[in-house]
Amino acid sequence: MTQTTAAAVPQQEARLAPGSPGDRAIKRRRVLDILDDAGRDSLLLTTNTALTWYLDGSRVHISLAGDPIAALLVARDGDHLVTFNNEAGRIAAEELPLGVNLHTVPWYANLHQAAATVGNGALPPLSEAEVAAELRAARQQLLPAESARYALLSADVAGIMTEVLSAARPDTTEFALVSALAARVVAAGAEPLVLLCNGSSRSTFRHPLATHAPLGRRAMAVVCARRDGLVANITRWIRFDAGTPGERDAEARIAAVEADIFDATVPGTRLDRIFTEIQAAYVRHGFGADQWEQHHQGGPAGYAGRDPRVTSEATDTVVLDQAFTWNPSGPGVKIEDTVQLTESGLHILTVDPRWPVATVNGLARPVTLQL
């Protein structure tokens, strides 16, 4: 195994190192606190969520569907990133934060085994699974620089939705719409993790992968896009007529369900308690007691699409500066934005002022764009 260090990078390149040194120092302190509580000397990070969080947005993947091409040992003597020899050049030049030691192994080596051996601890490193709840808690409160990056990504994605969906026509196919969205997301320097679309002929599907079907009179599009490790999630609807009274009524009621969820999203509240409120909100607004079973309801957001999905088993506690994407849905309706809980209340991140809105419980919420 060979080793280099970010400290050896020339100053011109060092200024281009990703992330915020100030944020990274806080994240390291949070992980060291986990080690202190566990009485251990190191922690091995292996998932994309944990790696991109700790490295403050470094890209440690090649295939979006594959495992990371790096593993990181957070040890008391420093941070040690291990990657394959054929990946090391790009990692060193473009993705290695200052102060992180880079180790390389042959492309055919066992990455995790190699990373577990670079530290000096007497005990094997902790695995992510052993401290999953603690790591989620460490990721919850977004720091200033990552909050700024998240807001910028979210605004970019919202703008892309407005521009692409505004140009749609009834004969536009679902594939044509999502391909246009994908092109714009990639051009913005982000990765399209999820692209969904249903036209009026497929409006019953809540996770509608695109087909060659035309949009027809009404359509939904969903984008989950990642940049700097952070994932922005958004759903928008368009239609080419005035809509039916039933559709307009359901759209208003699902926004009311979301408003109740927003009201429940306050510091100190456990996720399982919010989940109980979600179930009650569906009944309160006329959707029936089983609607929460038809689609996941969202949850905390950030370095994963949901971190975690809210269920009756999720006991994480809400904190200030935490991001969320709630996504209540009913037959033919869904509402979804990425938001952040601040001292002044919920701040909607996925906003484009060009998209039509209605005020719901004091917040501007997207309505269906009529074309």
Side-chain angles (χ1 to χ4, degrees):
M1 186 185 301
T2 59
Q3 176 180 352
T4 60
T5 176
V9 177
Q11 185 60 33
Q12 178 64 25
E13 295 181 30
R15 283 197 295 268
L16 301 178
S20 162
D23 282 6
R24 287 209 61 255
I26 295 171
K27 293 176 182 181
R28 177 167 168 80
R29 181 66 261 169
R30 291 177 181 176
V31 173
L32 290 178
D33 287 343
I34 293 173
L35 294 180
D36 289 344
D37 290 342
R40 302 287 282 275
D41 293 320
S42 61
L43 168 64
L44 184 61
L45 303 181
T46 57
T47 67
N48 193 79
T49 297
L51 287 165
T52 55
W53 166 73
Y54 190 77
L55 296 172
D56 217 26
S58 296
R59 295 175 298 174
V60 291
H61 70 277
I62 297 299
S63 166
L64 291 177
D67 294 330
I69 46 82
L72 188 137
L73 189 77
V74 183
R76 297 190 184 277
D77 69 346
D79 295 330
H80 303 274
L81 187 69
V82 180
T83 190
F84 300 115
N85 62 307
N86 58 314
E87 309 291 353
R90 181 187 68 85
I91 293 289
E94 300 175 347
E95 309 293 344
L96 190 66
L98 296 175
V100 176
N101 302 297
L102 182 63
H103 307 260
T104 61
V105 295
W107 61 264
Y108 50 83
N110 186 303
L111 191 63
H112 296 175
Q113 286 183 3
T117 65
V118 296
N120 297 319
L123 297 173
L126 283 170
S127 68
E128 285 188 42
E130 292 176 274
V131 287
E134 292 85 350
L135 280 172
R136 282 201 310 273
R139 292 191 294 266
Q140 282 180 305
Q141 185 179 46
L142 296 180
L143 297 165
E146 58 190 347
S147 293
R149 294 196 301 270
Y150 208 6
L152 182 59
L153 167 65
S154 296
D156 285 349
V157 172
I160 288 168
M161 277 289 227
T162 298
E163 291 163 9
V164 172
L165 269 61
S166 294
R169 297 294 178 263
D171 60 351
T172 302
T173 68
E174 296 167 350
F175 273 136
L177 189 72
V178 299
S179 65
L181 288 169
R184 291 293 304 276
V185 168
V186 173
E191 298 145 1
L193 301 185
V194 177
L195 293 168
L196 303 176
C197 180
N198 61 12
S200 55
S201 67
R202 305 175 63 241
S203 60
T204 59
F205 301 131
R206 303 202 193 189
H207 271 165
L209 295 175
T211 71
H212 290 291
L215 299 182
R217 54 174 292 271
R218 183 171 181 260
M220 177 188 76
V222 179
V223 172
C224 302
R226 182 175 65 195
R227 189 171 69 200
D228 302 314
L230 293 158
V231 182
N233 313 287
I234 183 173
T235 294
R236 292 291 184 264
W237 289 83
I238 58 174
R239 62 176 163 233
F240 301 96
D241 58 22
T244 68
E247 287 168 352
R248 295 193 298 272
D249 174 67
E251 289 164 3
R253 288 187 291 113
I254 205 66
V257 173
E258 183 196 54
D260 288 353
I261 302 172
F262 283 168
D263 282 346
T265 307
V266 296
T269 303
R270 283 188 357 186
L271 293 181
D272 55 348
R273 305 298 168 80
I274 298 176
F275 185 64
T276 298
E277 176 57 30
I278 292 171
Q279 294 171 303
Y282 278 110
V283 176
R284 188 180 303 124
H285 297 290
F287 283 101
D290 66 336
Q291 280 306 306
W292 66 270
E293 299 184 54
Q294 308 307 313
H295 190 281
H296 79 83
Q297 301 303 303
Y303 289 90
R306 304 297 187 275
D307 195 20
R309 289 182 180 180
V310 65
T311 67
S312 61
E313 306 299 319
T315 58
D316 300 20
T317 300
V318 173
V319 300
L320 276 178
D321 298 319
Q322 188 172 8
F324 296 88
T325 300
W326 302 112
N327 45 258
S329 65
V333 288
K334 179 187 177 189
I335 190 166
E336 177 182 26
D337 272 305
T338 303
V339 307
Q340 188 173 17
L341 182 61
T342 69
E343 288 186 352
S344 58
L346 276 174
H347 176 54
I348 312 298
L349 299 182
T350 40
V351 169
D352 180 355
R354 298 170 294 178
W355 193 273
V357 297
T359 300
V360 182
N361 200 21
L363 288 175
R365 303 303 300 123
V367 298
T368 299
L369 174 64
Q370 191 167 328
L371 298 171

